[in-house]
Amino acid sequence: MAAGDQDSRRIVALREELAHHNHCYYVLDAPEVPDAEYDRLFRQLQSLEEKYPALVTPDSPTQRVGAKPLKAFSEVHHGVPMLSLANAFDEGGVKDFHRRACERLGVEHIDYSCETKLDGLAVSLLYENGVLVRGATRGDGRSGEDVTQNVRTIDSIPLRLLGKDAPRVLEVRGEVFISRAGFARLNRAQRAEGGKQFANPRNAAAGSLRQLDPRITAARPLEIYIYGVGVVEGPADEILAGTYSAMLERFRDWGLRTSPETRVARDAEGCIAYYRDIMARRDKLPYEIDGVVYKVNRLDQQDALGAVSRAPRWALAHKFPAQEEMTVLKGIEVQVGRTGTLTPVARLEPVFVGGATVTNATLHNQDEVKRKDVRIGDTVVVRRAGDVIPEVVSVVMSKRPKHTRRFKMPERCPVCDSKVERPEGESAARCTGGLYCAAQRREAIKHFASRRAMDIEGLGDKLVDQLDEQGMLSDLSDLYRLKLEDLAGLERMGEKSAKNLIDALKKSQSTTLARFLYALGIRDVGETTARSLANYCGKLETLMHAEEEVLQEIPDVGPVVAGNVHTFFRESHNRQVIRKLIKRGMNWPEGVVDRDKLQPLSGKTFVLTGTLDSMGRDEAKAKLQALGAKVTGSVSAKTSYVVVGVDPGSKATKAEQLGVVMLDEKAFLKLLSKK
Ligand code: D41
């Protein structure tokens, strides 16, 4: 069928509109319309194109996937070589780089454009007359592979540049990557389909871009940031005359996506300040980065500096310390925690990783050791990311020495020789020695003294160990029997610090019931639960005599915690320690019950989605809040209930995925009436 004027104009208009919304979404990060509206326009275009196949053009947004699988990739020669980046691993390297650039240019100051260094793979995109005609991998920098079919499936790559003023030929370079969220989603999907797991986002991005079947690539959450330019011909080649940051600005106008973390900074100091800022926010960025990149901002200065051995003299990658390194595992020690949990800890040949020297790394538990099959003498990969505890990630099997033996968890506690138990269904093995076990006793005292518990200033971990070694702490209450003379005899304990500690101990005795309960270190009783217990019962006596069923009535307390609390207070040793603590001066204002925290839905979080017949959303929210519930806008694993009305949104799907309890209107009304 031949298209009427109206239809063909509509097709063009739809493509422009879709391109505009893509730009808003990917480049400006500010969508103007909801996804559903985009989908609607997209489907309109699809059906018009189905009606008039002759009007389908390769740059239509409907044509991202469509090509058939290839047998092999063909080779692409890069007209302008794709250079690599020189590296600096410390601030000295940055200062040297800056000094050399200043000397060569004969200037005192240089402006740099700073950006994040994404951990993906470099590609080249070629636009002719505004249309994407070729995509290629970097390869060795001189030639790479033709991955046009695949880059076309990446939504953040425009198939046609916006506006009319782009150069006739424009080759841009950028990094294709997968965000953290995309990576998690991809691996989850792979697991569900029995496919292979990717080790990290970089591998996933590289593997996805090098698929011969573009339909596979299309299903992968690839993204791009553009950071460079190759061949440029024709009008608007003035982009090569100003600054790099102005060039990026022009790229954005044309619909090309650039990093939002780009800043101009002056001299090495400005660059280093940028590095520190990004380093501090590294773990919060939505994608993984392995450093930052500084580029001399003035393009004429870039030209003057030129390149040496495949790397420009005007750009520098300032790398973060690696988060994973290899080292040798010298031994496995089993540590006993406050509640008796046995944790296998790897003793390592010291290794510098994630910005610190690491000599110990956790192996988590017996199952993990078994899964990773970690053995003494192995070369292992150690990871230290941000503030998390260093861990052993994997074993380099090819480096395993001969005659190694599997690790087995001890059957007796390495500290007190009591029996080790592993309750069914739990991953943790536990020492059954209780407070007779020195390790548990010491950890319990350290917890008791900690800031959020009794807050005994000056009673650090080392001192607790010392006091325990001297036999001065057979239980918690002995802390309040300590005298100046006892402390004076200890190593590294001056008169002044001894006196301060005695004062701090005295001060800690005026406390609150919530703090005291938390300080006792009852299994699974954190600060929030301790507060709930205190608020609900008001008096310690009440709590000590409460039956499990009664405890379960308390907000935040389920059967497990109720059981733990009950067991703790039934234990005569514990009751005795509490009695002694009180006798020696522990006190708190009694019976102050915080009524707010006593409401029937305290501690519960609700999310509302869809419309209810019987009441408006505000009314439902008010009713819930009146009962003490929290009402939030988005579903997470912490959500207690999702109330699902008519026409629910994506929140219902999310709730289903996370296994959050969903209430329909009837169940919701019933819940309100019962409370
Ligand atoms: O984010 C990156 N990985 C990144 C890589 C970046 N932000 N800028 C880069 N700039 C260049 C030059 C200066 C050569 C145009 C790069 C790369 N190159 C690069 N990536 C892989 C090889 C080279």
Side-chain angles (χ1 to χ4, degrees), residues 624-639:
L624 285 168
Q625 285 171 338
L627 292 167
K630 213 164 100 184
V631 181
T632 68
S634 61
V635 181
S636 77
K638 295 211 179 92
T639 309

Side-chain angles (χ1 to χ4, degrees), residues 221-392:
L222 293 170
E223 301 182 39
I224 195 163
Y225 282 140
I226 301 295
Y227 55 65
V229 69
V231 180
V232 185
E233 282 170 28
D237 59 6
E238 93 277 2
I239 55 164
L240 300 180
T243 59
Y244 174 74
S245 47
M247 183 168 83
L248 292 181
E249 198 70 49
R250 301 288 281 140
F251 286 174
R252 277 193 283 277
D253 296 339
W254 294 329
L256 296 164
R257 193 168 179 238
T258 62
S259 164
E261 300 293 345
T262 309
R263 312 260 182 288
V264 176
R266 196 163 211 231
D267 299 342
E269 290 74 41
C271 291
I272 288 166
Y274 174 84
Y275 173 91
R276 290 186 184 157
D277 171 50
I278 295 290
M279 175 86 126
R281 294 190 290 121
R282 177 183 192 180
D283 293 336
K284 295 204 186 73
L285 292 178
Y287 39 81
E288 282 192 4
I289 57 175
D290 58 352
V292 298
V293 184
Y294 313 129
K295 295 175 181 173
V296 171
N297 200 26
R298 271 173 53 179
L299 298 175
D300 60 329
Q301 293 185 327
Q302 288 191 0
D303 282 344
L305 287 166
V308 267
S309 67
R310 304 243 201 130
R313 283 203 198 86
W314 45 265
L316 182 73
H318 187 179
K319 301 277 278 262
F320 291 143
Q323 293 188 321
E324 287 188 4
E325 288 289 354
M326 269 174 10
T327 189
V328 173
L329 182 122
K330 296 193 298 188
I332 297 177
E333 188 176 289
V334 176
Q335 281 181 354
V336 186
R338 168 164 67 82
T339 53
T341 306
L342 303 193
T343 306
V345 175
R347 296 268 171 257
L348 305 168
E349 202 55 64
V351 60
F352 190 77
V353 53
T357 301
V358 168
T359 49
N360 301 318
T362 182
L363 287 161
H364 300 291
N365 55 52
Q366 191 170 4
D367 290 344
E368 281 290 291
V369 182
K370 196 169 164 199
R371 195 173 62 76
K372 293 172 184 158
D373 188 16
V374 178
R375 302 181 188 190
I376 295 167
D378 270 339
T379 297
V380 293
V381 176
V382 177
R383 182 177 173 83
R384 177 178 181 275
D387 295 333
V388 290
I389 306 168
E391 61 166 350
V392 171

Side-chain angles (χ1 to χ4, degrees), residues 571-633:
E571 173 77 52
S572 70
H573 173 80
N574 291 336
R575 296 170 89 102
Q576 204 186 331
V577 171
I578 291 171
R579 253 197 311 278
K580 282 198 280 182
L581 280 165
I582 293 170
K583 203 176 91 207
R584 286 176 192 157
M586 189 68 65
N587 68 92
W588 53 84
E590 204 147 275
V592 210
V593 178
D594 184 350
R595 287 286 152 200
D596 283 352
K597 301 239 165 71
L598 263 182
Q599 292 164 315
L601 293 178
S602 297
K604 300 279 187 255
T605 305
F606 283 72
V607 173
L608 303 166
T609 179
T611 41
L612 297 173
D613 287 332
S614 53
M615 66 184 96
R617 187 178 287 228
D618 287 340
E619 194 185 343
K621 190 169 168 182
K623 285 207 157 118
L624 285 168
Q625 285 171 338
L627 292 167
K630 213 164 100 184
V631 181
T632 68

Side-chain angles (χ1 to χ4, degrees), residues 41 43 52 58 60 105 112 124 143 162 192 204 215 240 321 344 383 422 424 432 454 472 487 568 580 583 591 608:
L41 296 170
R43 283 195 303 271
Y52 310 113
S60 170
L105 293 171
Y112 293 94
S124 145
S143 56
L162 291 179
R215 281 170 304 189
L240 300 180
R383 182 177 173 83
R422 183 171 168 186
E424 194 128 351
T432 53
M454 302 320 300
M472 287 196 238
L487 297 173
F568 183 90
K580 282 198 280 182
K583 203 176 91 207
L608 303 166

